[in-house]
Amino acid sequence: MSDCIFCKIIKGEIPSAKIYEDELIYAFLDISPINFGHTLVIPKEHHQSAASIPEEVAGRMFHIASRIGILLKRLDEFDAYNLHLADGTAAGQVVMHAHLHVIPRGAEDNFRWNWRQLNYPEGKMAEIAADISAKLAAKLNG
Ligand code: AMP
Ligand code: ZN
């Protein structure tokens, strides 16, 4: 898309600290990292949602992101990494070109996800699982 900042990065119209590129994907350092080395892996084709990325491209993104994560672990104080993808504004997506974050993590990095853990009322978990699996099967087969 012509006004998309990540499409401009892929075309070289906006500078980026490139990590990796092939025919399907592009990876570069996030300009405001959680930790140094924080990388974004994006499809070269513009997709707003991860759901519309072709399987081959999405697979490549996940594979390369994991490989980058392994390498980031070897940087200085890191011993782990998170993969993160925000799909939609309410989920925290700011740049509307789907991107997979690779975030190097260390036990002492002082970063905490604000990750809550609710409890299902009796019967609700099975009800939701049945609903989602039926709708997913209909979508995938339809
Ligand atoms: P999200 O909130 O998942 O949409 O993340 C968007 C990310 O893109 C943020 O972490 C930004 O720091 C990053 N970002 C925005 N503009 C640039 C840019 N020009 N170069 C590198 N990273 C960027
Ligand atoms: Zn784009």
Side-chain angles (χ1 to χ4, degrees):
M1 240 170 54
S2 57
D3 59 343
C4 169
I5 186 170
F6 285 179
C7 283
K8 286 181 177 162
I9 282 177
I10 292 163
K11 285 186 268 178
E13 293 170 11
I14 291 177
S16 66
K18 181 165 106 174
I19 297 291
Y20 174 80
E21 178 177 19
D22 63 29
E23 75 281 14
L24 299 179
I25 67 169
Y26 190 86
F28 58 107
L29 291 185
D30 192 303
I31 205 164
S32 308
I34 287 175
N35 284 317
F36 294 155
H38 181 163
T39 297
L40 301 174
V41 180
I42 63 177
K44 282 195 163 170
E45 201 173 84
H46 181 90
H47 293 275
Q48 176 165 332
S49 169
S52 69
I53 301 172
E55 193 169 343
E56 185 198 0
V57 182
R60 182 79 61 86
M61 285 172 66
F62 192 86
H63 178 68
I64 295 297
S66 307
R67 299 288 294 270
I68 291 171
I70 297 289
L71 290 173
L72 291 176
K73 288 205 311 185
R74 296 184 191 146
L75 291 179
D76 294 339
E77 71 272 30
F78 302 126
D79 46 34
Y81 64 93
N82 286 111
L83 295 183
H84 172 77
L85 188 147
D87 202 306
T89 305
Q93 185 177 9
V94 173
V95 177
M96 293 301 162
H97 181 131
H99 50 279
L100 189 53
H101 293 257
V102 189
I103 304 157
R105 300 298 309 279
E108 309 295 331
D109 70 3
N110 289 320
F111 178 73
R112 295 279 168 270
W113 296 106
N114 190 10
W115 188 299
R116 69 179 178 189
Q117 295 188 295
L118 302 175
N119 292 311
Y120 284 102
E122 183 72 27
K124 193 74 181 167
M125 200 172 184
E127 185 191 309
I128 290 176
D131 185 34
I132 295 172
S133 62
K135 285 175 179 156
L136 182 62
K139 280 260 182 235
L140 294 177
N141 300 326

